[in-house]
Amino acid sequence: MRKYFIHNGETENGPFDIEQLKTMQIKSETPIWYEGLQNWTTGNNVDELKDIINSNSLPPKFENFAQQNSSLNPPIFSKPSQEKIQNDIPEKKKSLRKVYIISGVACALILFLFLNGNIHPNRYPETNNYNGDNIFGIDSSAVYTENDRINDELTAKNRNYRNNIEKYIGASTNRYSYNELGGISNLDIIVTNNTEYLIDEANVNVNYIKDNGGIYKSEIVTIYNIPAKQDKSVSAPESDRGTSVEAKIQTISSKKLHMCYDNTFAPKAGEIDPYFCKQ
């Protein structure tokens, strides 16, 4: 059952059902609202209430019935005023018209900003994260400036990680076993990730060192999915010779950090971000 709210000029009251409204002497000009209306209307515009509206009009003065019907001419038709026609436009149509106008203005503004470079999804290689905030009613230039500042800071921080990655990601070993006559066993390789990003893959070059300092053999050990700010280890092959082990990062890849690092790769002179890559 539909529920109605009424307004007495100072406060709104309700909800009421139609039976309750019958006891309230609703008038044709009483403000009325119910769910589904965009705005308040008046009682005379609600079909369900027309039968209960309290009319203050008085009946016409009684005259002789025959005299009243002595003339068969119909009353003169009065053309409704333009103001009356305008007021009779359904409220819903008026609201839709406003929506269309606002939408058109919004599209034109966005197109203007795009063509003038204020909205550009590829301005920053690492983040396409403009959040689409509603710019109506606020200073749009302030929104873009703040967004640019955040992206600049993020780009600079990630570039610092990539250009100095050996300071943030390193390889080490556990306390393995070795034979004084030669031989390595129970060896684990540990990779430490001090960045704020997941490292998808790290390849570690493991050298087995002989007692005289020479390298007996080398192995590549791969560690996957190293969480941010954590260590991860895997077992390394044993060796029948060697008395010590040297572990060094060779390659690192991270989608989150947009990094493809290779310590055998010599960056070109002047490159500001040689290990940046889109995976």
Side-chain angles (χ1 to χ4, degrees):
M1 180 180 292
R2 179 177 289 171
K3 297 293 185 178
Y4 300 87
F5 290 80
I6 63 175
H7 205 289
N8 63 10
E10 295 181 359
T11 59
E12 65 181 49
N13 297 287
F16 305 110
D17 58 32
I18 196 165
E19 294 299 323
Q20 292 173 309
L21 291 181
K22 288 180 180 180
T23 67
M24 296 183 180
Q25 298 183 338
I26 301 301
K27 299 180 181 181
S28 61
E29 65 270 20
T30 298
I32 298 285
W33 182 88
Y34 57 86
E35 185 175 3
L37 288 182
Q38 291 282 344
N39 295 299
W40 287 79
T41 186
T42 52
N44 62 327
N45 290 324
V46 182
D47 292 337
E48 304 95 292
L49 304 183
K50 289 183 178 179
D51 292 336
I52 68 170
I53 290 176
N54 181 35
S55 175
N56 291 328
S57 59
L58 297 175
K61 182 179 179 181
F62 178 80
E63 296 182 4
N64 184 276
F65 184 80
Q67 181 181 353
Q68 291 184 50
N69 291 278
S70 60
S71 173
L72 298 178
N73 294 324
I76 298 174
F77 174 75
S78 298
K79 183 178 179 181
S81 66
Q82 185 64 30
E83 181 180 356
K84 173 64 176 174
I85 295 173
Q86 187 68 26
N87 290 335
D88 287 341
I89 297 176
E91 195 66 34
K92 186 175 182 180
K93 290 184 178 179
K94 292 181 180 179
S95 299
L96 286 174
R97 182 185 301 169
K98 293 178 181 178
V99 171
Y100 294 147
I101 293 173
I102 293 174
S103 299
V105 172
C107 290
L109 179 57
I110 292 172
L111 179 61
F112 172 79
L113 294 174
F114 183 85
L115 293 176
N116 284 273
N118 286 328
I119 301 177
H120 198 298
N122 295 319
R123 177 172 180 177
Y124 297 93
E126 302 196 50
T127 57
N128 295 328
N129 61 351
Y130 172 65
N131 58 15
D133 289 338
N134 178 10
I135 62 175
F136 298 104
I138 60 177
D139 183 357
S140 61
S141 63
V143 173
Y144 299 134
T145 300
E146 178 64 13
N147 191 65
D148 290 347
R149 184 189 65 78
I150 293 172
N151 283 336
D152 284 338
E153 290 180 355
L154 180 61
T155 299
K157 181 183 74 173
N158 293 351
R159 183 186 298 124
N160 177 66
Y161 275 143
R162 290 189 292 268
N163 289 341
N164 300 279
I165 196 61
E166 292 183 351
K167 295 180 180 179
Y168 297 97
I169 299 178
S172 60
T173 67
N174 66 333
R175 298 186 64 178
Y176 52 86
S177 302
Y178 70 92
N179 190 317
E180 292 183 359
L181 298 178
I184 302 293
S185 60
N186 302 319
L187 173 64
D188 290 341
I189 301 300
I190 306 165
V191 172
T192 302
N193 176 14
N194 287 319
T195 74
E196 300 173 17
Y197 298 94
L198 173 73
I199 300 302
D200 299 292
E201 179 180 322
N203 288 303
V204 180
N205 186 40
V206 181
N207 292 324
Y208 298 81
I209 311 298
K210 295 184 294 185
D211 191 42
N212 62 6
I215 297 176
Y216 169 62
K217 70 173 182 177
S218 296
E219 299 280 356
I220 296 295
V221 175
T222 303
I223 302 181
Y224 299 97
N225 300 320
I226 307 163
K229 301 293 185 179
Q230 293 187 39
D231 300 339
K232 191 170 184 180
S233 64
V234 296
S235 297
E238 294 185 353
S239 173
D240 56 359
R241 294 190 61 183
T243 57
S244 63
V245 174
E246 178 184 73
K248 187 174 183 180
I249 294 289
Q250 181 166 307
T251 64
I252 303 170
S253 64
S254 171
K255 293 180 181 178
K256 295 291 186 181
L257 191 50
H258 302 299
M259 181 179 65
C260 300
Y261 170 81
D262 187 341
N263 71 353
T264 64
F265 168 72
K268 296 179 182 179
E271 282 191 281
I272 63 171
D273 203 354
Y275 302 117
F276 173 84
C277 69
K278 282 284 190 179
Q279 300 182 15

